Amino acid sequence: MNVVTNNKWIGQRTIRPDGVDKVTGRATFAADTTMPGMIWGKVLRSPHAHARIKSIDTSKAEKLPGVKAVVTARDIVDFTIEKGAVMLGIQDMRWMCRNVMAREKALFPGHPVAAVAATTEAIAAEACKLIEVDYEVLPFAIEIDDALKPDAPILHEWNKVDGKPSNVAGRLEHKKGDIAEGFGKADIIIERSFATRPVHQGYIEPHACLISVAADGKTTIWSSSQGQFMVRAMTSMLTGIPQSDIRAIPAEIGGGFGGKTIVYLEPVATMLAKKSGRPVKMVMTREDVMRATGPTSGSKSTVKIGVTKDGKIVAAQGTFYLQAGAFPGSPIRGAAGCSFAPYDIPHALSVGYDVCSNRSKVAAYRAPGAPIGAYAVECVMDEVAHALKMDPLEFRLKNAAREGTKAVHGPVFPRMGYVETLNAVKNHPHYSAPLGKSEPGKLRGRGVASGFWFNAGGESSAQVNITEDGNVVVTTGHPDIGGSRAGIANICAELLGIDYKRVSVIIGDTQTVGFSNLTGGSRVLFASSIVATQSTEKVIQTLRERAAKTWGIDPEAVKWENGAAHPVSPNAGQFEPLTLAQIAAKAPEQGGPIGAGVQLNTAGADGGFGTHICDVEVDTDLGIVRVIRYTASQDVGRAIHPGYVEGQLQGGVAQGIGWALNEEYIYNKEGKVDNPGFLDYRMPVCSDLPMLDCALVEVPNPKHPQGVKGVGEVPLVPVMAAVANAVYDALGRRFYSLPMSPPKVSAVLDAPVQRAAE
Amino acid sequence: MTDIRYVAPRTLDEAISAFAAAGSAARILAGGTDLLVQMRSGMVRPGLIVDIKNIAEMTGIEVTADGGFRVGAAVSGMALAEHPRFGKAWPGVLEAVNLIGSKQVQGRASAGGNLCNASPAGDSVPAMIAAGAIITIQGPNGRRELPVEKVPAAPGRTNLTPGEIVISFTLPPRPAGSSDAYLRMIPRTEMDIAVVGLGVSLTLKDGVCTAARVGLGAVAPTVLLVEGAGKALVGSKLDDAALEVAAVACRAACRPIDDKRGTITYRIKTAGVLLKRTALIAAKRAQGK
Amino acid sequence: MPKVHVTTTINGEPMEFLCEPYETMLDALRGQLGLTGSKEGCASGDCGACSITVDGRLVCSCLMLAAEAEGHQIGTIEGMAHGEKLHPLQQKFLEHAALQCGICTSGMLVASEALLKKNPDPSEEEVRFWLAGNLCRCTGYDKIVRAVLDAAAEMRETAR
């Protein structure tokens, strides 16, 4: 690793390259795009939570003037169940093809059943009403408990457990040591059960795409997504159009958080465009987003932790049931794998169960599964600390995972900064600040929690090209959802020793940049900076060679410093430095264009750790919890652009506060989402939150050229437990289910004090 | 959504003839913050939209001959807040109107629209009821007046007859030592529909309450005038015992439902809590005068 | 089914257009008027991404019929900068990293500008309550509030 010190740009709060467009309204998001001849697509969605689709008659819709194409499951490539899994990343295409358009069954209210493209949105919507679907309505099950009942309606008859059709579609287990032996040594054992509701990623921009298919099949896609290569691949697999004929262009994306790592509209719009011969635009309404796009799982978990009386954890067990929705694939990997990771536990068993039920298929949401598991584990950790009469941070320090600890999910940790985050919090003014006096009728409390996320490396491609006027264009492969362009510009400017403003960073599409994996997994800056660094280093090598040519010396005798080539020493010769602009001007005579590209499957991503402190104030008569102070500490490796690193922490904290206090899916008796809008799906508004302070810890990742670790996902993991532990400190009551909404808090406060659930 | 017409008459007579002629297919457009949401969701498909914002009588705020106020039904919350004197006399009504939605919504939403939308939870209505507002209504058969609490009939329905439009709210002059307040319980700090909303208007003389009215919303199919609560406060110094009696009256008046915003138990309890808090705020404001 | 003829002023420029009676101002701006800076997040007035001003008053353009623009002055995000000169709010949003994905940014800026015109010296609490109608899912609002307060301070200084 060549960590650059005395940084001019790395660590600076530069203005992001795409910023001016975004503050002037010029930035183009998918719904802002238009094409000549464009028509509109609309989706017909199932009104039923569970129904067999016996027939679909689209003839009346097809005859409506203005309708140019109609699409059903017949137009989407079938991945048959019997042939087994066909994986694209972590997605099984058997579920993807059925998720974008229902096949045998409608599995949730909002499940697409058909789609229409017409010359106006109004006509397309009218045509949808003319499509006749013959449904055989079936009983449904939405909640995990209902889906697990012995007589539960079964979503997928072919999915069998012990020979019987079941809604349990998967199981994952991590085992270390022998928990029977471990618990046998414990002086204190605490076991608690927890429940959480499904919550949505809540991106403000609904899914949108504009797709044009030419007569020869050449397809152009503009869409809001976290991965143009994923869009290309999924669309190709679901429509049969070869990948080389598809150009997927990533529009600016208005939030994703994992929810846009799969496609919903693109394959459908492609088939509509293909059949109609016209470009087709499809934009989801907010209601469509809430009904039919993946939120994250609801859950039921049980966590048991055993400690000796001097505070050493001897055993831990976690069982996590996560709601997958209509098709298998809930994030049990995150729940079972991450929840115990911050601790050195000799005996542990962590098991996750994937449970199908009649609601939309879940999609990734910021450290998928990990916040759910951490809520349970970190609350039990808090109870154990209290039982031991130990400070909760001291208890964690005593059991903290360190370099060399074997994690419950398998790996041995390298040097990482978890302990540093605990100490950062312990020594932070927030932790020692008095809670302050509340008005009568209000109580204050403080809680802490920790969390872990795997992070990822993965494929990334970049090109660095020097312009004829001596400036730099960097093309990267990942949609920018958090400010990664600014980070990459910082790095390239630093390496080349030139002013940040001379570096332009753009995001390529599938035909202009090499394969790059999804924006997600906290990997964009980690992975793209590796390939951007290597590309820049190759460019620097070329620049040295060109200077060497001019001077008639060996390239080894040339160094690159402060934006220019210099002789390594006076012995090499007395030459005036040659700037980037000067070398670029001579490029044609000296060998041609100066640029380099690198494509890698990057490795070396280390997991991320965070520890948070939360202060709450509770209005005890009304049961309203407000967060009044919050500090998040996280090991970020190296903060290439501190502003956007802090932004990741603050955004994750805000989402977690919403998840803890007010966000939840509410269903009516017919199994339909009763709150499919921002009015009653209650995300935090500006006045709900205090300033969100960040304490960044930098333990550089030795496997990364600048020491970067992924930062985007860890921030959500500890939040719900931090809030719940603070509420306990204020009220002396534990909350074993989320959200801690006012009617629930009020009911708990009014109930007689009970022994906590065993 | 294909057969909709939009008209923006400049006089009340034009508005009423157009509105009455179109019958049940017509809708009045003031701020549009309810109507457009309902059109978008498909709940409402008007054949005619009558935009009344160009009619002077509906958009003005005037002081009446006896020192009260007449507020045009289409006046937005923001415009009401900019009036130099209204908020001093009726801080509770003003804050209630300006709790509807966001600042953007308050730039358009009107007390008239809020009342006629007839949501059980409309924020302005409990405060208007507590204030004793009188509604002036005009229709094909002429003009009439109604106490505001008589306007809501059921969720989404008013007691207006076909062709009638709410023109203005008239609030009485304030005796010395009077003020009002509105509080609502919402889970977040803004942007939610009231789980319970409560308005209190009262007059104090030498610390003793001589008049009081209580409006209670989101706990019944329509917003309620809780006469028992007002009576319990009159003659008292708003001590704990009197407040408790008034709170009991509010809790007893509740006929709430369990829904996505609150439970029956929670709403009943909250009605009592809000009565005490709101009455004390109104009293503090009244004593300041 | 006749369209409505609208004569209005947008960002200081006279405009004329025809619209369906049911077309919202947001639809008209983003569609035929080519002003896509205002965004649709919910179409029900709950997110503020479509914020514009009407005669200087902050409103949600999704809650207004395009027909209602007749005779009024409409202000959108596109009118905030003057050529290359960014408004101090826009500049401070960039300096404070007060945006990540940017979808809420247009609405936040229009709303913030309306606040500072009404109250040039708001407290943190006043900023937060004014912006409660503008949802952001990326930033947690912290840097947005700091940017608004910083811009307000700079604007007060300039006005001296």
Side-chain angles (χ1 to χ4, degrees), chain B residues 201-286:
Chain B
S201 175
L202 47 72
T203 306
L204 296 178
K205 189 168 155 60
D206 300 322
V208 176
C209 178
T210 58
R213 278 174 66 98
V214 174
L216 177 57
V219 295
T222 62
V223 182
L224 305 171
L225 168 65
V226 188
E227 297 194 20
K231 283 202 185 85
L233 297 178
V234 170
S236 81
K237 288 189 166 219
L238 298 180
D239 51 283
D240 286 349
L243 288 173
E244 181 58 29
V245 177
V248 166
C250 285
R251 290 196 287 266
C254 292
R255 294 174 333 257
I257 55 172
D258 281 332
D259 70 3
K260 60 194 170 196
R261 296 174 187 141
T263 60
I264 292 170
T265 312
Y266 184 73
R267 285 183 153 116
I268 294 175
K269 176 182 179 184
T270 299
V273 173
L274 289 188
L275 181 289
K276 295 182 182 179
R277 294 185 186 186
T278 314
L280 288 173
I281 295 172
K284 194 154 176 218
R285 288 174 177 167

Side-chain angles (χ1 to χ4, degrees), chain A residues 619 622 680 683 687-688, chain B residues 188-189 260-261 266 277:
Chain A
D619 178 326
L622 293 179
D680 289 305
M683 303 187 336
S687 42
D688 289 340
Chain B
R188 293 180 291 181
T189 52
K260 60 194 170 196
R261 296 174 187 141
Y266 184 73
R277 294 185 186 186

Side-chain angles (χ1 to χ4, degrees), chain A residues 226-297:
Chain A
Q226 290 176 244
Q228 65 277 44
F229 288 90
M230 173 278 298
V231 170
R232 178 179 76 173
M234 287 219 180
T235 303
S236 170
M237 291 172 91
L238 294 174
T239 63
I241 300 172
Q243 288 198 22
S244 49
D245 280 350
I246 298 177
R247 181 175 192 177
I249 301 169
E252 292 296 339
I253 171 178
F257 314 110
K260 291 179 180 166
T261 57
I262 55 175
V263 293
Y264 294 94
L265 299 173
E266 290 85 336
V268 176
T270 300
M271 293 314 293
L272 287 170
K274 188 169 179 203
K275 289 174 88 166
S276 66
R278 304 274 290 266
V280 171
K281 184 164 176 178
M282 293 184 80
V283 181
M284 283 199 193
T285 64
R286 176 55 44 189
E287 196 180 332
D288 292 339
V289 173
M290 298 305 290
R291 288 196 193 289
T293 69
T296 195
S297 310

Side-chain angles (χ1 to χ4, degrees), chain A residues 713-724:
Chain A
E713 290 169 284
V714 171
L716 179 54
V717 180
V719 187
M720 291 101 80
V723 179

Side-chain angles (χ1 to χ4, degrees), chain B residues 6-96:
Chain B
Y6 167 88
V7 296
R10 299 204 157 267
T11 71
L12 201 44
D13 286 337
E14 277 175 57
I16 289 170
S17 353
F19 187 53
S24 61
R27 283 290 188 281
I28 297 295
L29 173 64
T33 54
D34 281 322
L35 180 61
L36 265 71
V37 176
Q38 290 161 5
M39 282 168 62
R40 171 80 184 216
S41 71
M43 200 174 121
V44 153
R45 285 187 166 81
L48 173 70
I49 296 171
V50 181
D51 183 344
I52 42 91
K53 293 191 289 296
N54 293 325
I55 300 170
E57 197 176 348
M58 302 202 57
T59 52
I61 306 168
E62 46 177 69
V63 178
T64 55
D66 59 357
F69 286 91
R70 183 158 41 242
V71 178
V75 171
S76 73
M78 282 284 182
L80 193 58
E82 284 157 13
H83 189 276
R85 291 164 52 193
F86 183 85
K88 294 192 176 59
W90 297 102
V93 171
L94 183 61
E95 68 197 345

